[in-house]
Amino acid sequence: MKVDNCMTRNVQVANPEQSIREVAQIMGKLDAGVMPVGDHDRLVGMITDRDIAIRGVALGKGPDTKVRDVMSPEVKYCFDDEDVEHVLENMGDLQVRRLPVLNRDKRLVGIISLGDLATSGEAAEAGEALSDISKPGGEHSQTAH
């Protein structure tokens, strides 16, 4: 199966100059825990509700703090025409639960989550990826920054 068949489309993008309060409110309305961050049609990072809590609030930053101050600037992504098995393996290796999805022109076309993959018939593979993702530490650990 290809990523295009199970990804979430119509993804809202945060701006690095927005406040974390605004982005948290958007996340609440969307019932989402992550948003890609874009600047002038370019993907420049990802921000999660955990980034806001750990890199923002826990460090004493206020609600008017800019997204760029708490986001993860490294962007790992996948392509919409990739096989989901490959993407699941990458998610496990990278220890991430979600990836932005780009087309081959490098335009954001969606986001894919471990949950999307688990509910689309890839439950066993998603379980293996979750096992890898859940190991302590890793490049995307909040304490590594």
Side-chain angles (χ1 to χ4, degrees):
M1 180 184 312
K2 301 290 184 191
V3 169
D4 186 59
N5 296 327
C6 52
M7 69 182 191
T8 299
R9 300 173 193 280
N10 302 322
V11 176
Q12 191 154 352
V13 178
N15 182 291
E17 295 303 314
Q18 279 182 287
S19 71
I20 58 175
R21 176 193 333 227
E22 284 179 86
V23 170
Q25 290 170 340
I26 294 167
M27 286 179 175
K29 288 178 188 167
L30 297 173
D31 191 26
V34 65
M35 286 180 67
V37 180
D39 190 18
H40 297 101
D41 200 31
R42 203 174 116 242
L43 200 55
V44 296
M46 296 289 285
I47 186 165
T48 66
D49 48 8
R50 186 169 168 85
D51 291 330
I52 293 168
I54 304 299
R55 295 182 189 159
V57 176
L59 295 179
K61 295 180 179 174
D64 294 324
T65 299
K66 301 295 182 200
V67 166
R68 78 169 60 258
D69 296 331
V70 299
M71 71 181 197
S72 296
E74 63 281 341
V75 181
K76 307 297 185 189
Y77 57 87
C78 63
F79 290 106
D80 60 353
D81 61 357
E82 280 188 79
D83 289 324
V84 294
E85 293 84 9
H86 180 252
V87 171
L88 277 165
E89 187 175 315
N90 283 345
M91 290 172 102
D93 291 345
L94 296 169
Q95 292 187 294
V96 297
R97 297 172 189 263
R98 304 164 196 93
L99 286 172
V101 180
L102 308 181
N103 64 21
R104 290 296 173 170
D105 293 327
K106 295 223 174 168
R107 299 282 184 228
L108 182 70
V109 293
I111 195 162
I112 192 156
S113 70
L114 202 53
D116 293 332
L117 295 165
T119 59
S120 67
E122 303 293 332
E125 291 85 352
E128 288 177 35
L130 180 58
S131 176
D132 290 336
I133 291 165
S134 298
K135 291 178 183 166
E139 180 183 348
H140 296 283
S141 168
Q142 293 291 333
T143 56
H145 300 281

